[in-house]
Amino acid sequence: MYTFLISLSLIGLIPTIIQIVVLTLVLLKHRNAKMGINVWAVLLMLGGGLVIVGKIIKLLIGDDISNGIGKLLLNIVFFSAGLAIYRFNQKTVEVKRIDEEKAA
């Protein structure tokens, strides 16, 4: 949201929209909440992972990345958080089907 407010670019709204959708699914206990969390975690890992790979490639070709170490560490944190969320979601979240006949 901050990026959208500063740059007035609609692309800045994409992460906000994804997070609102995932949060809505979780709060409504929707059957697709687990899948929404997985998609969000994979996008988080993909973004951080691509930056990490890019920085490694720059390092291997001999570029100086000393000025980008802070961003690299931040992306390592994003990747690790995405991985932790994905693993936690896979191991602990369970989707149960509730028949309306049993509930009555």
Side-chain angles (χ1 to χ4, degrees):
M1 186 66 133
Y2 176 77
T3 304
F4 172 72
L5 293 175
I6 297 300
S7 67
L8 297 177
S9 172
L10 290 178
I11 292 179
L13 282 178
I14 292 173
T16 304
I17 291 169
I18 291 172
Q19 290 174 4
I20 288 171
V21 168
V22 170
L23 186 59
T24 303
L25 288 172
V26 169
L27 291 177
L28 295 177
K29 297 180 181 178
H30 195 271
R31 64 179 178 185
N32 292 327
K34 182 175 182 171
M35 184 178 60
I37 294 170
N38 281 340
V39 168
W40 178 70
V42 166
L43 290 175
L44 192 60
M45 287 187 296
L46 186 64
L50 289 175
V51 172
I52 293 168
V53 169
K55 294 287 185 182
I56 290 172
I57 290 173
K58 285 181 86 171
L59 183 65
L60 290 175
I61 62 172
D63 282 355
D64 182 31
I65 63 163
S66 60
N67 58 353
I69 294 295
K71 284 187 176 183
L72 178 63
L73 292 175
L74 183 63
N75 283 295
I76 290 171
V77 169
F78 283 154
F79 181 80
S80 300
L83 186 62
I85 291 167
Y86 183 81
R87 288 183 49 89
F88 181 79
N89 191 40
Q90 290 297 93
K91 290 188 179 274
T92 61
V93 176
E94 185 176 306
V95 178
K96 289 185 178 180
R97 181 175 174 208
I98 300 174
D99 293 331
E100 293 187 8
E101 296 171 6
K102 290 182 181 179

